[in-house]
Amino acid sequence: MNDLVRQHTALGETDLEWLHLLVSEWQLLSDLSFADLVLWVPTLDGTRYVSVAQMRPNTGPTSYQDDMVGHLVPRGRRPLLDAALDEGRIVREGDPEWREEVPVRVESIPVRREGRVLGVIARNTNLLTVRTPSRLELTYLQSASDLAQMIAAGSFPFPGQQVDMDASPRVGDGLIRLDADGVVTYASPNALSAYHRLGLASDLVGQHLGNTTAELAPSRGPVDEALVKLASGWAPRETEVDGNGGVIQLRAIPLKPKGTRIGSLVLCRDVTELRRRERELITKDATIREIHHRVKNNLQTVAALLRLQSRRMDSPQGREALNEAVRRVGSIAIVHETLSQNLDERVEFDEIADRVIAMVSEISPGKVDCRRTGRFGILDAEVATPLSMVLTEILQNALEHAFTQGERGTVEVAATRTGTGRTDGRLMITVRDDGSGLPEGFDPQRAGNLGLQIVRTLVEGELGGTFDMVRAQPRGTKVVLDIPSSPQK
């Protein structure tokens, strides 16, 4: 719509915003009218109309099988559009049109904003299935007529009341018509069922909806008065009412077809099961985060015990082995700590990598500079946990074996993501040091130390990737990991 309006019309940005507000609301008018709506706006030179938006009803058959958006029509070809635009009134004169052997009644509703007519809504009703209307259909049509008059007068949609139609109740969910005093004159079967879910044991017709709703809802003290006013339709508002195990969503729409409030429409939807599932998901998420938090605490306790035991060891080799175990446990704890703060099982691994680098760097404080370049991005927990251990082992190996006592150097961790999706992406990780390099005849695929065994097992077994360790140029060692960025099934 933005492109069509800016390309073909003289409307400004504030007018365009008004049209967007109208289009966000007009599913309501379409459903109440059982009719298709097409928004026509005069072109810049005034010789044609351009259709900038279209809506089909959920409550009846469509009158247009084709998409009308973008069509241009010369002025004079559709007299009802001309009359509505020039005279600023709703035009219903004329015989039905025949489209593909289907009779269609056409009406034109001027769209007014601050005294100016911006365009015209063509309301097209398929007459093929017309029959004697029921009480529900009569209420729908009368409400649609009131809304159409408000659009023509510039009082609908309501300024500043942008509505999310995916989240708000719709006409078919439940409709209640109120008089000017807030008393129910009609309630659709779905609306009545929704109030029965709240505990209502009688009919709604003849009752004051605000007072009835407040009685069914739990006592809220001063808030009850606000609920009474909202359910009485005094202002365009939305709320949810929770009572007796049921939850209904309400949306009030004051009706002022001639400037004076004559009543209101209240749309309602039973969202009890939806809210129950949401609460279950929230509880599940909280439970998962609590589990990660407790696992992290337990791992930190294990690490503390291992650290305490290492201090009591007389053997340097035993002490170092326990310290390596502390770092391995610590890398897993970092992942669980991050997961305990997230709403899903995915983590920003750059933060984890930085913490792992800082933890392992304590082996040689002030001697070797460890840094990260590139981005790991967001990874699933199934990838993040083994990858953190792999990174820990590779860094430990570099810091312990690449440099002699007191030698200064650099270890760089570089990460590169390829692919655009969660399932086809890969992660290339390079850990490079400028130390002494690999000894002659060293084969990383057969080396027997525990650290490299852990790396091979995790990279090839759990992550489904490849691992290689080669001499770097001009000196040092380079470790290359190529792994999928999503878990392998």
Side-chain angles (χ1 to χ4, degrees):
M1 185 167 72
N2 287 350
D3 294 339
L4 290 170
V5 169
R6 289 167 181 158
Q7 179 182 354
H8 294 285
T9 78
L11 299 182
E13 291 300 317
T14 53
D15 295 331
L16 181 56
E17 287 300 318
W18 183 263
L19 295 185
H20 274 293
L21 191 61
L22 171 66
V23 168
S24 74
E25 291 272 29
W26 72 343
Q27 180 73 64
L28 174 64
L29 177 63
S30 178
D31 290 345
L32 290 172
S33 304
F34 308 98
D36 291 73
L37 306 178
V38 180
L39 177 57
W40 297 93
V41 180
T43 57
L44 184 61
D45 58 9
T47 62
R48 295 180 296 176
Y49 299 95
V50 58
S51 58
V52 298
Q54 178 179 1
M55 179 59 66
R56 292 183 172 89
N58 294 318
T59 52
T62 183
S63 301
Y64 286 111
Q65 298 299 325
D66 300 325
D67 191 355
M68 295 297 296
V69 175
H71 282 213
L72 290 164
V73 174
R75 184 178 171 87
R77 180 174 295 180
R78 300 194 176 182
L80 296 185
L81 295 181
D82 299 339
L85 183 69
D86 296 339
E87 301 173 22
R89 65 179 179 89
I90 299 175
V91 182
R92 298 189 175 91
E93 299 88 353
D95 296 327
E97 298 180 3
W98 287 84
R99 299 176 188 161
E100 299 179 358
E101 301 183 355
V102 175
V104 176
R105 182 175 64 242
V106 181
E107 304 166 81
S108 295
I109 305 167
V111 177
R112 192 184 304 273
R113 174 182 176 268
E114 296 181 354
R116 297 167 47 242
V117 177
L118 307 182
V120 180
I121 294 176
R123 181 163 55 177
N124 304 267
T125 307
N126 187 324
L127 300 178
L128 198 60
T129 58
V130 170
R131 61 186 186 280
T132 303
S134 64
R135 177 74 187 280
L136 180 144
E137 291 168 329
L138 288 173
T139 303
Y140 277 22
L141 293 172
Q142 180 57 55
S143 301
S145 176
D146 294 335
L147 283 178
Q149 293 182 58
M150 292 171 64
I151 291 173
S155 57
F156 187 83
F158 303 108
Q161 294 290 323
Q162 187 79 28
V163 176
D164 182 2
M165 291 306 299
D166 292 331
S168 295
R170 299 197 177 195
V171 170
D173 296 325
L175 180 142
I176 301 172
R177 176 84 187 220
L178 309 180
D179 64 15
D181 297 322
V183 176
V184 178
T185 60
Y186 177 79
S188 71
N190 285 347
L192 190 59
S193 296
Y195 267 81
H196 285 165
R197 192 70 177 263
L198 285 181
L200 180 69
S202 60
D203 195 2
L204 272 174
V205 176
Q207 298 197 42
H208 189 279
L209 187 66
N211 294 336
T212 300
T213 304
E215 291 171 0
L216 294 173
S219 177
R220 304 180 187 177
V223 182
D224 284 344
E225 184 177 350
L227 180 60
V228 170
K229 288 186 176 181
L230 188 148
S232 300
W234 286 96
R237 295 287 187 273
E238 289 191 34
T239 191
E240 285 190 4
V241 181
D242 189 341
N244 296 308
V247 184
I248 65 171
Q249 190 177 16
L250 299 179
R251 182 190 175 199
I253 304 169
L255 297 176
K256 303 176 181 179
K258 297 182 179 179
T260 302
R261 181 175 171 274
I262 63 168
S264 305
L265 284 181
V266 177
L267 304 180
C268 60
R269 177 169 60 183
D270 183 354
V271 293
T272 305
E273 294 304 315
L274 178 63
R275 296 296 176 258
R276 181 184 63 81
R277 289 195 295 269
E278 287 178 352
R279 285 193 292 267
E280 289 179 351
L281 288 175
I282 292 173
T283 302
K284 179 182 176 181
D285 288 341
T287 302
I288 291 173
R289 290 199 298 274
E290 177 62 21
I291 290 171
H292 284 303
H293 182 71
R294 294 189 181 187
V295 170
K296 181 263 298 184
N297 288 343
N298 290 337
L299 289 172
Q300 288 180 337
T301 301
V302 172
L305 292 173
L306 291 172
R307 192 178 296 110
L308 181 64
Q309 185 65 37
S310 72
R311 292 171 184 168
R312 296 174 176 268
M313 292 286 293
D314 296 328
S315 168
Q317 293 84 357
R319 188 182 302 112
E320 182 57 32
L322 287 176
N323 287 333
E324 288 182 0
V326 168
R327 289 188 287 272
R328 288 166 184 151
V329 172
S331 67
I332 303 174
I334 291 173
V335 176
H336 283 282
E337 182 179 4
T338 305
L339 288 169
S340 70
Q341 301 168 1
N342 291 354
L343 295 177
D344 56 13
E345 291 290 288
R346 308 191 74 203
V347 295
E348 177 63 64
F349 196 79
D350 294 312
E351 177 186 351
I352 293 175
D354 291 340
R355 294 180 62 181
V356 167
I357 291 171
M359 177 183 67
V360 178
S361 296
E362 295 176 358
I363 299 174
S364 53
K367 184 181 69 171
V368 178
D369 177 28
C370 294
R371 59 174 180 265
R372 172 181 61 87
T373 61
R375 293 193 70 250
F376 288 86
I378 298 176
L379 299 176
D380 292 285
E382 297 173 61
V383 175
T385 302
L387 182 56
S388 67
M389 288 195 65
V390 167
L391 193 58
T392 300
E393 296 299 332
I394 295 174
L395 289 171
Q396 280 187 166
N397 188 74
L399 292 174
E400 289 178 356
H401 303 295
F403 306 98
T404 59
Q405 184 67 31
E407 183 182 5
R408 295 189 175 277
T410 302
V411 177
E412 181 183 57
V413 180
T416 304
R417 288 285 287 265
T418 61
T420 57
R422 284 187 62 179
T423 58
D424 62 350
R426 297 195 72 81
L427 183 59
M428 182 74 71
I429 305 166
T430 303
V431 181
R432 181 194 299 266
D433 66 68
D434 55 3
S436 57
L438 297 174
E440 291 295 333
F442 180 82
D443 184 357
Q445 302 302 327
R446 296 185 178 182
N449 73 69
L450 178 60
L452 289 180
Q453 288 180 14
I454 291 175
V455 171
R456 285 198 301 269
T457 301
L458 293 178
V459 171
E460 297 172 1
E462 289 199 31
L463 296 175
T466 60
F467 156 73
D468 197 12
M469 180 182 287
V470 297
R471 287 180 176 273
Q473 297 298 328
R475 68 191 301 265
T477 304
K478 181 172 69 173
V479 178
V480 180
L481 305 176
D482 183 4
I483 63 173
S485 59
S486 59
Q488 299 303 288
K489 304 301 181 184

